[in-house]
Amino acid sequence: MNDSQLSSALGSSEPLTPPLYTSAVYRLPDLDALDRILDGKETGFIYARDAHPNARRLAALLAEVEGAQWALTTSSGMAAISSLILANVESGRRIVASHRLYGRTTQLLQQELPRLGVQTSFVDISDLEETKKALQVPAALLFVETISNPLLRVADVPALARLAHEADCQLVVDNTFATPILVRPLEWGADYVMESVTKMIGGHSDVTLGMVCGNNDKRAELSQVSSMWGFSSSPLDCWLTERGLETLALRMKAASANAAALAEWLPNQTGVVRVVYPGCADHPDHELAARILSGGFGNMLCFDLAGGREAVNRFMHQAAGIPFSPSLGHTTTTCSHPGTTSHRYVDPAEKQRQGITDGLIRLSVGIEELSKIQDELEKGLSDV
Ligand code: PLP
């Protein structure tokens, strides 16, 4: 049975869950059909690196949840960042970026882009005057994270969008830690939003995927960059993400509620000397977070152990139910150690300046019963 026979055999029925199209290439009746697809006169697919049905479906769903006119999936969050940069910046241009970013993003800007003739100035984006000053030298992009990795500083997206636009620059927001459930940065004036879909949106630690979206006319250019540089997403990852997306709002709500409760509970536990959570009144961006985030303060939380690296190792051995797995957004609670994982290659002085200490543990809080997480944390903290 070929595909068209299968389609007619389905009659008026259709599968409730979407089909997975693993085909790398599509069969076409003749050259005229190929021309009609490439000229945009007819829908259809030719080669999966350029486009495939699972990416097309997922992109439409992601655009809706982000409040965007278009979205594009990529093979990872880093591919999303790379395609955004390659579509907007050429040799001789400049980027202004937050000095608090995921370590690999900082490395990309610091080590890879200079090889292509693109320089980046890093600024404290919480200091709007400093950011404004940095934008006085022409820059193509201002790059920030809505909630920064790992210490959860919150970006004043509307103010940063204003500053960027006054300087004829575009604001790119990495919304991975917040997800569109907490904030839709395009609505606050951002030009582009990217997400590491690998994390909360995928939600089950079984996909590596990224997304870029916007409300401008750059979709076709980004799609071309993504195809030519080989950043395209795989059908299976898109298919799995579609399932993850269905529960994103529920998961974020439940996980944020757990994180908020833990942020209150953790300061009273022995060995814990600092708790960082944007929902706490003592967080430096608490008021800003309350203004621009809706539906909670997120599922990410950090705490510091007085005993440093050795205490962290003991915690990891003792809290076996909170796996040390250096990612985030899993259904259940996991932990990571930014100093040796996501921010391993950040200059030690910069780490110290930001507060990424040897004792800092980053929790990605899950949706399990709060008491279960507390039990595990108690075990982990029993001898640190
Ligand atoms: N942005 C942030 C904030 C991240 O934490 C990560 C990965 O941890 C990325 C981007 C990169 O995403 P990916 O691992 O999907 O390439």
Side-chain angles (χ1 to χ4, degrees):
M1 190 182 270
N2 65 28
D3 270 358
S4 54
Q5 286 166 331
L6 179 62
S7 289
S8 47
L10 283 168
S12 63
S13 66
E14 53 181 290
L16 184 58
T17 55
L20 168 61
Y21 295 89
T22 55
S23 193
V25 67
Y26 290 77
R27 180 178 167 171
L28 300 152
D30 55 25
L31 300 177
D32 296 341
L34 179 112
D35 283 348
R36 284 196 301 277
I37 294 173
L38 288 179
D39 294 343
K41 294 187 180 131
E42 198 174 285
T43 59
F45 299 93
I46 299 167
Y47 192 55
R49 198 188 66 242
D50 294 324
H52 58 78
N54 293 102
R56 186 77 55 88
R57 279 183 62 101
L58 179 64
L61 294 168
L62 289 169
E64 195 183 333
V65 76
E66 297 277 0
Q69 278 167 16
W70 57 265
L72 200 72
T73 56
T74 56
S75 55
S76 67
M78 290 312 293
I81 295 172
S82 301
S83 54
L84 263 173
I85 291 172
L86 290 165
N88 284 287
V89 179
E90 64 269 336
S91 174
R93 295 303 310 267
R94 182 171 162 266
I95 296 174
V96 174
S98 166
H99 69 179
R100 295 188 205 93
L101 293 175
Y102 169 56
R104 284 289 198 213
T105 311
T106 304
Q107 271 186 297
L108 173 74
L109 297 167
Q110 242 168 13
Q111 293 169 20
E112 294 296 307
L113 290 190
R115 298 199 287 119
L116 306 180
V118 177
Q119 301 297 332
T120 301
S121 305
F122 292 91
V123 293
D124 179 356
I125 54 131
S126 299
D127 184 337
L128 295 178
E129 274 309 307
E130 184 186 329
T131 310
K132 187 174 178 176
K133 216 162 144 204
L135 289 169
Q136 279 166 3
V137 181
L141 301 176
L142 171 61
F143 191 102
V144 306
E145 289 174 3
T146 355
I147 301 181
S148 73
N149 184 355
L151 282 164
L152 315 175
R153 293 299 303 265
V154 178
D156 190 343
V157 179
L160 292 165
R162 212 167 37 247
L163 290 185
H165 297 157
E166 279 166 12
D168 203 17
C169 170
Q170 299 187 90
L171 177 64
V172 179
V173 175
D174 179 338
N175 200 39
T176 302
F177 273 39
T179 82
I181 303 306
L182 297 195
V183 62
R184 307 203 306 179
L186 293 176
E187 291 175 354
W188 290 103
D191 297 282
Y192 293 102
V193 171
M194 63 74 41
E195 310 261 2
S196 169
V197 174
T198 314
K199 311 294 173 358
M200 275 73 94
I201 297 180
H204 299 75
S205 305
D206 52 8
V207 304
T208 303
L209 201 74
M211 183 229 49
V212 181
C213 65
N215 283 333
N216 48 30
D217 58 5
K218 282 280 199 171
R219 190 205 166 276
E221 201 178 330
L222 268 150
S223 170
Q224 207 175 349
V225 164
S226 174
S227 171
M228 285 192 295
W229 288 78
F231 296 148
S232 315
S233 50
S234 91
L236 177 62
D237 285 345
C238 293
W239 184 82
L240 284 168
T241 299
E242 194 172 329
R243 193 179 56 178
L245 192 58
E246 283 179 10
T247 56
L248 176 66
L250 278 175
R251 286 187 285 107
M252 280 307 286
K253 193 170 165 214
S256 295
N258 276 345
L262 291 174
E264 272 188 31
W265 176 83
L266 267 169
N268 304 320
Q269 306 309 307
T270 41
V272 175
V273 286
R274 175 173 66 140
V275 175
V276 182
Y277 186 64
C280 293
D282 65 355
H283 186 280
D285 301 319
H286 176 63
E287 279 173 26
L288 173 62
R291 182 157 55 84
I292 77 161
L293 305 178
S294 49
F297 294 92
N299 70 317
M300 301 303 294
L301 175 153
C302 289
F303 62 95
D304 223 324
L305 296 182
R309 184 188 164 101
E310 284 319 308
V312 172
N313 272 337
R314 282 196 296 277
F315 172 87
M316 286 170 172
H317 294 147
Q318 288 158 190
I322 299 182
F324 165 43
S325 42
S327 184
L328 52 131
H330 193 62
T331 42
T332 54
T333 304
T334 61
C335 73
S336 188
H337 185 256
T340 53
T341 62
S342 55
H343 292 70
R344 185 177 188 93
Y345 302 106
V346 172
D347 180 53
E350 178 60 28
K351 271 197 244 192
Q352 198 185 9
R353 188 159 73 100
Q354 289 189 26
I356 303 173
T357 57
D358 287 345
L360 188 76
I361 292 179
R362 192 190 73 189
L363 272 193
S364 169
V365 179
I367 59 172
E368 61 272 62
E369 284 293 316
L370 177 65
S371 59
K372 197 170 165 198
I373 311 173
Q374 286 169 326
D375 288 349
E376 281 304 318
L377 286 171
E378 266 170 4
K379 281 188 223 161
L381 294 169
S382 60
D383 177 29
V384 293

